[in-house]
Amino acid sequence: MAHSNAAYDTEEEYMEINTRYGKQMVAKSSLLTFPEGLPGFEDLRQYKLFHEEGKSTVYYLQSTEDPDIRLPVITPEACHIDYNIDLSDDDIRQLQAEEQDELVVVVTVSDNQDNPATGITANFMAPIVINTSRRIGMQKTLNKIDGGVVIQAR
C-alpha cells in the first residue's frame, strides 16, 4: 500500500491519514462522506476504504478524522451470499443515487474473541450502502429481515 510521491497527480489534492498500515497519502477525491456519520461514530463523517495488497476480500473503512476508528467490511458476495435490501426514498435522496448500479453494499465483520468457536461474523442487520459515483455512504439499520431483505447462500 505504499505509494511513491512521483506517482501522484499534481492536480489532485492529497492528505495524509493514519491507518492500520501506517501513514498513507490519499487523494481527497477518493474519500467517502457519511453525512450522518455511522451509528456510534456520528461525529466522524469522512472515511477511506482500504485493503491489503493481494488481499482484496476484507476492506477497512478507515476514519480520516480518528485513526483509531477502522471497520473491517466485506461484500456479501465474498461470503457467497445474494443480499438485497430495499431503500426508502429518503435513503435514495441521502445517497444522491440516480442509478441502482451506483450503489454497493458492504457489511461489517468481527471475530468474536470471547468465543473463538463462532469464528468471524458478518452484520447483515446494519449494512453500509455506498454510492460509488458520488462517494456518499450511509449505514442502514434493519429492524428485521422480511420481504425487504433477501439473503440467499449460493
Side-chain angles (χ1 to χ4, degrees), residues 114-141:
D114 295 334
N115 185 2
T118 61
I120 295 174
T121 58
N123 182 357
F124 287 97
M125 296 304 291
I128 295 171
V129 184
I130 299 168
N131 179 333
T132 57
S133 297
R134 302 216 186 243
R135 309 205 60 78
I136 297 172
M138 66 173 288
Q139 189 163 18
K140 176 85 174 170
T141 303

Side-chain angles (χ1 to χ4, degrees), residues 8-141:
Y8 294 130
D9 179 346
T10 56
E11 300 296 315
E12 180 76 60
E13 283 190 61
Y14 289 84
M15 66 184 289
E16 184 177 84
I17 63 172
N18 292 316
T19 73
R20 98 182 248 152
Y21 309 108
K23 292 182 186 281
Q24 299 289 319
M25 292 298 291
V26 298
K28 287 186 177 184
S29 64
S30 72
L31 299 180
L32 300 171
T33 300
F34 288 79
E36 295 181 8
L38 295 170
F41 308 107
E42 289 83 359
D43 294 337
L44 304 176
R45 307 284 170 99
Q46 295 265 282
Y47 290 82
K48 172 69 178 163
L49 198 58
F50 285 103
H51 68 85
E52 282 186 76
E53 280 212 26
K55 297 180 180 179
S56 59
T57 301
V58 177
Y59 293 81
Y60 294 90
L61 195 57
Q62 172 72 56
S63 168
T64 63
E65 300 152 307
D66 184 338
D68 293 330
I69 304 303
R70 65 180 168 263
L71 305 171
V73 298
I74 60 170
T75 63
E77 293 83 15
C79 299
H80 304 288
I81 293 176
D82 291 328
Y83 178 74
N84 299 300
I85 61 172
D86 285 333
L87 296 174
S88 70
D89 290 341
D90 286 341
D91 296 337
I92 298 295
R93 272 191 292 283
Q94 180 179 337
L95 291 164
Q96 299 177 21
E98 295 174 12
E99 301 290 331
Q100 185 173 347
D101 62 354
E102 294 177 316
L103 302 177
V104 171
V105 175
V106 295
V107 294
T108 58
V109 293
S110 60
D111 68 14
N112 189 345
Q113 300 207 358
D114 295 334
N115 185 2
T118 61
I120 295 174
T121 58
N123 182 357
F124 287 97
M125 296 304 291
I128 295 171
V129 184
I130 299 168
N131 179 333
T132 57
S133 297
R134 302 216 186 243
R135 309 205 60 78
I136 297 172
M138 66 173 288
Q139 189 163 18
K140 176 85 174 170
T141 303

